Structures are given as structure tokens and as C-alpha cells.
Amino acid sequence: MQSRSPASRTGRPRSATADAAILAATREALVELGWSKLTLGDVATRAGVAKTTLYRRWAGKNELVVDAVAELFDELELPDRGSLAADIEGVVLQFATILALPEAKSGLMAVVAEATRDEALRERIRASVVDRQKRLVLEGRARAQARGELPPEPDPASADRTVDLIFDMVAGAVVHRTLVSAEPADEEWVRSFTRVLLHGLNS
């Protein structure tokens, strides 16, 4: 797994196995203890590593939880279902399934709340979650353009703004639906959302 610690350090190389165990233990602790009771000491015990190992990798609980949640979203894949609409439906259903996980739900809500007063944490969320998952929009747009479903966008600045807008619309709608409204993002909702996303309210 790629390191996402705030600053690189010299010395003994990091262990991918230890990183994976720490992030898995963090998600387990989130479910069992909740955000307020989660401590780096408990995570270290669960992961079978020294507490100092965690502090060499993460500055504190906020950063650790962001990376633990970000790893869940790295599992998202854009399916090739033969059309842009079907591809969007597939990835949105995956996204909603991940957000329904107790560890994703509690972790994401907690760090977003903390980030309202912590600019560095907002930047970490943007880099670890938002920017990395924009790959799905880029992949979907390229595939749809190759099929002739979307026109090419020769202006790079305009193309970047389109990616940002699409990501914000999809992520915002699904997060609000599942975490704020606490309603299911089931197949019927996802089909309706995709139709509006692609064709507007007149569809």
C-alpha cells in the first residue's frame, strides 16, 4: 500500500503488512468503540504493533482514520457495462455500499466534522479521498468519449472543471442520501439519479 503519511522519514523502510494491519485495526476499533473512544494505543494493540510505530506513520487519530477510510474507497472500480449510464449506476451502487459500512460511516462523518476547524485535515481528506477517487470520473469520461457518448473536451482547464463538477455532484448526492438523509441508495434511486445527472430534470 502506498504511504500517505504527512512527511517521509529516513530509516528502516515501512512495512506494507504493518500498515495494512494498522488500518484494518483502526476500522475495527471505529465499529466497536466509536470515534470518541478510539485511541492509538488501542489500535496498536489490535494491530500487534508498538504504539511508537503508529506515531512514526501518523501524527494523530484524525490522520489515521482518514487513511483507514480512504483505503475502503480505493476498492471502488468503474465497471464496463457497455454504456455511460450503466457504468455510472454500477460505481454509484458500489460507493453507496461502502458508505453503508459502519466503519466508513462513523469514520467519514467524524473526520469531516473535525475538518471544519482543521485546514490540514481538510487537505488530507482532499488528497487521500477526493483527488484519488476522481480517477473514476476520468476513466468514465474517457470510456464514454471512446464510445462516442460524450464529445471530446480539447481545453484542459474546461475538462478539469467538468471532472470536479461531476465528482462533486455524484459524491455529494450519495453522501447526503446515505449519511445525512439516512435513506437507501438502492437500484431504483441510483437509476433515477443517473438519469437526472445525464439528462437533467426534463428527462
Side-chain angles (χ1 to χ4, degrees):
M1 186 191 73
Q2 182 181 359
S3 168
R4 294 188 292 273
S5 57
S8 60
R9 295 176 172 84
T10 58
R12 187 169 59 184
R14 288 178 58 160
S15 165
T17 301
D19 281 0
I22 290 166
L23 296 178
T26 301
R27 293 190 292 269
E28 178 184 281
L30 276 169
V31 175
E32 294 185 14
L33 303 176
W35 167 264
S36 62
K37 294 182 180 179
L38 184 149
T39 66
L40 266 64
D42 180 76
V43 170
T45 299
R46 291 169 185 263
V49 301
K51 190 175 178 180
T52 53
T53 301
L54 270 73
Y55 280 111
R56 283 198 298 267
R57 290 159 162 77
W58 292 277
K61 181 167 74 171
N62 290 349
E63 293 81 3
L64 175 60
V65 172
V66 169
D67 285 4
V69 172
E71 190 174 59
L72 293 174
F73 296 127
D74 284 341
E75 297 176 6
L76 285 168
E77 295 181 353
L78 184 69
D80 188 348
R81 293 181 162 189
S83 72
L84 178 58
D87 292 354
I88 292 173
E89 289 173 11
V91 75
V92 169
L93 285 168
Q94 288 180 51
F95 184 34
T97 298
I98 291 174
L99 286 175
L101 295 172
E103 58 267 39
K105 188 183 305 183
S106 59
L108 188 61
M109 294 288 275
V111 294
V112 168
E114 291 293 315
T116 60
R117 51 182 179 272
D118 187 336
E119 176 62 28
L121 184 58
R122 284 199 295 275
E123 288 298 326
R124 193 180 189 94
I125 293 170
R126 183 178 298 114
S128 296
V129 179
V130 176
D131 289 345
R132 285 223 298 271
Q133 298 316 316
K134 284 181 181 177
R135 64 185 170 82
L136 299 166
V137 179
L138 291 168
E139 182 182 349
R141 181 180 62 180
R143 186 185 295 167
Q145 288 172 339
R147 291 182 185 133
E149 295 174 291
L150 290 177
E153 293 183 81
D155 178 39
S158 176
D160 288 345
R161 287 193 296 271
T162 300
V163 169
D164 289 344
L165 180 59
I166 293 171
F167 183 88
D168 289 345
M169 291 172 69
V170 173
V174 181
V175 168
H176 189 279
R177 175 75 177 179
T178 57
L179 301 187
V180 180
S181 298
E183 295 287 346
D186 53 21
E187 291 188 7
E188 181 180 358
W189 183 87
V190 170
R191 281 195 298 270
S192 298
F193 166 72
T194 301
R195 186 171 60 251
V196 172
L197 176 69
L198 294 178
H199 306 294
L201 294 175
N202 292 325
S203 61

